[in-house]
């Protein structure tokens, strides 16, 4: 009720400030003042039991003219109804389950989706919860000091249907656990705050995977499906059970100013994985994880081929971090719906297995086309650029052994890798086309004298490259496709 009282005081103060001037007001003016105050007080008294707060959304605008934040297609605006999770009975002591509290709050706020939208504020405290679903025209706002904790009860992460472009759970047959924060078929959703934290407390799930006692595929920290206009910004995400942020079948997605952390041995804790999605901006993020920092995907083998929902128009810029077992940015390996028009720039990777890795295999089909990689700095990265194959990772026996990918137009420029242990490794796939691979101004320092490029079943062009590239990239090139 304190918020309500503060609201009353602020309204009264605004009115009083306008009318109580040096003594020139007439009796009529004083009467008008009393009337206005009475009307406002009546409106406040009859208002919903959930008071409105005044915390604004964090704007998307950036001073950087190259920022891709404009992919979020809705101007920053204040939601019409803004409430606190405490108004629904939230405790925030880190022990009490808040699962039903979050679900109840969002059920209530859903009614405002078409009349100005709503915002749920999570104040300072530790908020233990199982999975909950978001709604459209909605902001989840974590205030400074707010920590949402993922429940340690697997029953609070219900099992849902597998994605149609995967045909089954990614790790186990059948369904998959829902993400901690989930949404399907939504529009205009913001997850942001004043550097609050969402902690998936994933160790329980990692142990199930390590011990081979996992019954269903682990849930993500945040997954949004079939949704449009998504902004995730200004927060810290910790310890996801599986992939951390997973927009799938989405468009106009911005992930900006995020810190994403997991132990470096935590299995499959990818940072941000856009999957069969378009117009995606990943910008100004710091990531440490036990898998790829960013991985672009589009479905798995015959299921992805059938659905044919590509990932396209994706920008990854000003991302930094480390992953000792995987890559800074990965393309694939689940890429059966196709991946095109990806820009990776101004990335800093260190102490990692690979800088940028393009992953595919027989059975995947699909295509990878028009990938631009530029202004990359790497330190102590084992293999700076890698095209890999042969994972023999398929959903079931129904995969098509004749389905091979087409890879064309990979443009790599202005790259410096310091203290790498291997030169680039580019392995194509028998029967597939890997062509128009362009390297320019590419330098790898710190290699042993015997280190050399390793290329198979690829073709392209290289200029200004050290150490000298493999013969497959020295057969001449065309300035039309390798400017």
């Amino acid at each position: 009720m304190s918020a309500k009282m503060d609201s009353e005081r602020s309204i009264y103060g605004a009115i009083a400030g306008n009318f109580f001037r040096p003594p020139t007001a007439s009796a009529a003016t004083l009467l008008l003042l009393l009337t206005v105050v009475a009307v406002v007080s009546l409106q406040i008294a009859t208002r919903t039991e959930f008071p409105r707060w005044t915390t604004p959304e964090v704007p998307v605008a950036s001073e950087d003219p190259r920022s891709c934040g404009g992919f979020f297609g809705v101007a920053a605006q204040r939601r019409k109804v803004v409430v606190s999770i405490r108004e629904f009975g939230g405790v925030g002591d880190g022990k009490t389950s808040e699962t039903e509290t979050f679900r109840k709050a969002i059920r209530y706020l859903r009614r405002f989706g078409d009349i100005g939208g709503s915002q749920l504020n999570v104040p300072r405290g530790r908020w233990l919860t199982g999975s909950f679903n978001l709604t459209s025209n909605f902001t989840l706002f974590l205030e400074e000091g707010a920590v949402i904790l993922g429940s340690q009860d697997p029953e609070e992460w219900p099992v849902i249907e597998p994605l149609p472009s995967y045909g089954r759970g990614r790790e186990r047959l059948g369904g998959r656990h829902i993400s901690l924060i989930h949404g399907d078929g939504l529009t205009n959703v913001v997850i942001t705050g004043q550097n609050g934290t969402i902690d998936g407390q994933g160790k329980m799930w990692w142990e199930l995977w390590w011990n081979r006692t996992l019954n269903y595929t682990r849930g993500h920290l945040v997954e949004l499906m079939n949704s449009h206009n998504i902004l995730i910004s200004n927060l810290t995400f910790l310890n996801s059970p599986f992939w951390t942020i997973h927009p799938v079948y989405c468009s106009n997605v911005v992930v900006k100013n995020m810190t994403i952390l997991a132990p470096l041995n935590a299995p499959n804790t990818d940072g941000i994985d856009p999957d069969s999605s378009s117009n995606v901006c990943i910008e100004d993020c710091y990531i440490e994880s036990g898998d790829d920092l960013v991985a672009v995907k589009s479905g798995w083998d015959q299921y992805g081929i059938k659905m044919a929902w590509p990932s396209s128009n994706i920008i990854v810029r000003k991302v930094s971090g480390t992953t000792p077992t995987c890559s800074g940015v990965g393309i694939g390996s689940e890429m059966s719906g196709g991946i095109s028009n990806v820009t990776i720039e101004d990335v800093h990777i260190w102490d990692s297995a690979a800088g940028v890795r393009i992953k595919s295999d027989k059975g995947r089909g699909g295509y990878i086309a028009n990938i631009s990689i530029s202004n990359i700095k790497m330190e102590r990265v084992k293999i700076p650029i890698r095209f890999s194959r042969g994972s023999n990772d398929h959903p079931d026996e129904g995969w098509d052994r004749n389905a091979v990918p087409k890879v064309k137009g990979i443009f790599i420029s202005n790259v410096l890798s310091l203290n790498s242990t291997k030169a680039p490794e580019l392995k194509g796939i028998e029967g597939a086309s890997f062509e128009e691979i362009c390297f320019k101004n590419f330098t790898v320092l710190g290699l042993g004298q015997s280190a050399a490029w390793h290329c198979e079943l690829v073709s392209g062009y290289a200029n200004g490259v050290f150490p000298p590239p493999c013969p497959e990239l020295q057969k001449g090139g065309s300035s039309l496709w390798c400017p």
Side-chain angles (χ1 to χ4, degrees), residues 424-475:
E425 185 176 278
L426 313 179
K427 294 183 178 180
I429 296 171
E430 187 175 355
S433 60
F434 281 65
E435 58 186 6
E436 296 188 8
I437 314 300
C438 173
F439 282 80
K440 284 199 169 185
N441 300 324
F442 183 95
T443 302
V444 183
L445 299 178
L447 295 172
Q449 291 185 350
S450 61
W453 291 55
H454 185 184
C455 303
E456 298 176 10
L457 304 171
V458 300
S459 65
Y461 175 74
N463 182 32
V465 171
F466 180 85
C470 51
E472 289 83 351
L473 301 181
Q474 299 182 45
K475 297 177 180 179

Side-chain angles (χ1 to χ4, degrees), residues 101-119:
T101 304
F102 275 99
R103 293 174 181 175
K104 178 174 67 175
I106 295 173
R107 282 197 302 268
Y108 170 78
L109 294 173
R110 188 176 296 135
R111 70 187 69 181
F112 302 104
D114 295 329
I115 52 173
S118 60
Q119 177 169 312

Side-chain angles (χ1 to χ4, degrees), residues 117-150:
S118 60
Q119 177 169 312
L120 179 64
N121 285 347
V122 181
R124 179 180 293 275
R126 296 172 65 82
W127 306 87
L128 180 66
T129 181
S131 173
F132 58 90
N133 285 281
L134 305 182
T135 187
S136 290
N137 298 309
F138 173 79
T139 297
L140 178 66
F141 190 98
L142 278 69
E143 299 177 13
E144 184 177 3
V147 181
I148 292 178
L149 298 169

Side-chain angles (χ1 to χ4, degrees), residues 50-267:
F50 303 114
R52 291 189 288 176
W53 289 29
T54 58
T55 307
E57 294 179 8
V58 175
V60 188
S62 172
E63 295 180 359
D64 186 346
R66 295 189 302 158
S67 172
C68 51
F71 279 180
F72 181 69
V74 177
Q77 59 184 357
R78 186 174 297 176
R79 305 295 193 187
K80 183 175 182 179
V81 175
V82 185
V83 299
S84 168
I85 190 67
R86 289 195 184 278
E87 303 301 323
F88 298 85
V91 178
D93 61 2
K95 299 177 182 179
T96 303
S97 174
E98 315 278 3
T99 306
E100 189 52 40
T101 304
F102 275 99
R103 293 174 181 175
K104 178 174 67 175
I106 295 173
R107 282 197 302 268
Y108 170 78
L109 294 173
R110 188 176 296 135
R111 70 187 69 181
F112 302 104
D114 295 329
I115 52 173
S118 60
Q119 177 169 312
L120 179 64
N121 285 347
V122 181
R124 179 180 293 275
R126 296 172 65 82
W127 306 87
L128 180 66
T129 181
S131 173
F132 58 90
N133 285 281
L134 305 182
T135 187
S136 290
N137 298 309
F138 173 79
T139 297
L140 178 66
F141 190 98
L142 278 69
E143 299 177 13
E144 184 177 3
V147 181
I148 292 178
L149 298 169
S151 171
Q152 298 291 279
D153 179 2
E155 296 297 321
E156 291 205 294
W157 302 64
V159 176
I160 60 175
E161 292 294 315
L163 293 170
S165 55
Y166 284 72
R168 46 161 281 189
R170 186 61 182 85
E171 301 179 289
R172 295 289 184 267
L173 293 172
R176 61 202 182 99
H177 286 281
I178 197 170
S179 60
L180 180 64
I181 297 176
H182 193 75
D184 190 358
L186 305 182
T187 302
N188 302 335
V189 174
V190 177
I191 303 172
T192 190
Q194 299 165 326
N195 199 30
T197 298
I198 300 177
D199 185 347
Q201 301 197 109
K203 186 178 180 181
M204 171 191 73
W205 298 98
W206 309 331
E207 289 178 343
L208 291 173
W209 187 88
W210 286 324
N211 297 333
R212 299 185 179 182
T213 54
L214 188 67
N215 294 322
Y216 297 96
T217 296
R218 291 168 282 164
H220 310 293
L221 194 68
V222 173
E223 180 181 70
L224 295 167
M225 305 170 52
N226 303 299
S227 296
H228 176 73
N229 274 341
I230 308 299
L231 171 64
I232 302 173
S233 68
N234 300 338
L235 296 172
T236 296
F237 285 0
L238 305 176
N239 303 316
S240 177
F242 197 43
W243 306 341
T244 305
I245 300 175
H246 186 223
V248 57
Y249 320 137
C250 289
S251 60
N252 292 39
V253 179
V254 174
V255 181
K256 184 178 176 67
N257 296 327
M258 292 293 297
T259 298
I260 299 173
L261 305 174
L264 299 180
N265 67 335

